Amino acid sequence: MEMIAMEAHKRHKAAVMVTHDQRVLDLADAVYRMEDGRLVRQ
């Protein structure tokens, strides 16, 4: 996961990661949660 984040930053691209693992949230620039069928930014 860390390699994906590093490559995305290096290439100025976006990477979308979907996970239930709270430990990887520190790698993200933005975190969204699904609440009542809608995406909500944390």
Side-chain angles (χ1 to χ4, degrees), residues 1-2 4-5 11-15 19 24 26 30-31 37 40:
M1 295 279 241
E2 191 172 339
I4 292 170
R11 297 172 186 258
H12 303 285
K13 300 292 181 183
T19 184
V24 299
D26 290 337
V31 176
V40 178

Side-chain angles (χ1 to χ4, degrees), residues 15-28:
V16 177
M17 292 185 258
V18 179
T19 184
H20 293 276
D21 189 344
Q22 298 284 323
R23 296 174 295 175
V24 299
L25 296 181
D26 290 337
L27 297 173

